[in-house]
Amino acid sequence: MQSSINRHGLPPDPDELIVEGDPPFADAAEQTAREKADESLNALQHEVRLLNARIGVLREDAEAALKAKATSVDASAHVQLGDYPWLKLAAAIGATFIAARLVRRLPLGVLLAGFAGHHSEARRL
């Protein structure tokens, strides 16, 4: 706040005495606690709306990325396995399951005898 006398020795203009944050008139009321709370609430609601908008954008980006990845994986499977790649993969899994069941039913001695015969032939070569 400025002094009560200006450089000309006269009382200062009332507008010169107002410092930022001071009420413009002596009888001007200060902001009430209710008004301050309302302003804070409005500011927080605005921030929440902005955050919700940002979250929406992030969800859309994530969804687009997942769709792009799924399309890429599907295209890769078609390149490697041709048409109906998931059917071919299921057939391979089924064939492996059946082969494993057949091997489990064979007696262990037959398997070892066959392996020993194969091993002895490989040694002769």
Side-chain angles (χ1 to χ4, degrees), residues 54-70:
R54 288 179 185 163
I55 288 172
V57 169
L58 289 174
R59 281 184 182 153
E60 290 173 4
D61 289 347
E63 184 178 320
L66 287 174
K67 284 182 181 178
K69 184 66 176 173

Side-chain angles (χ1 to χ4, degrees), residues 99-111:
R101 288 285 191 161
L102 291 175
V103 169
R104 285 184 186 164
R105 289 185 180 176
L106 291 174
L108 186 60
V110 173
L111 287 175

Side-chain angles (χ1 to χ4, degrees), residues 114-125:
F115 178 72
H118 175 70
H119 185 64
S120 64
E121 286 183 28
R123 202 182 262 182
R124 288 185 205 158
L125 296 175

Side-chain angles (χ1 to χ4, degrees), residues 17-103:
L17 294 176
I18 298 173
V19 176
E20 188 174 331
D22 284 348
F25 305 103
D27 60 348
E30 288 285 324
Q31 193 177 28
T32 65
R34 174 70 178 185
E35 290 170 343
K36 288 180 183 179
D38 285 342
E39 282 183 15
S40 296
L41 179 64
N42 289 336
L44 287 174
Q45 287 173 340
H46 180 70
E47 287 183 34
V48 167
R49 285 191 298 273
L50 288 176
L51 289 174
N52 282 333
R54 288 179 185 163
I55 288 172
V57 169
L58 289 174
R59 281 184 182 153
E60 290 173 4
D61 289 347
E63 184 178 320
L66 287 174
K67 284 182 181 178
K69 184 66 176 173
T71 303
S72 172
V73 167
D74 188 51
S76 175
H78 281 284
V79 167
Q80 293 175 8
L81 300 172
D83 290 335
Y84 306 108
W86 307 115
L87 179 62
K88 291 179 181 178
L89 185 61
I93 291 171
T96 304
F97 177 77
I98 292 170
R101 288 285 191 161
L102 291 175
V103 169

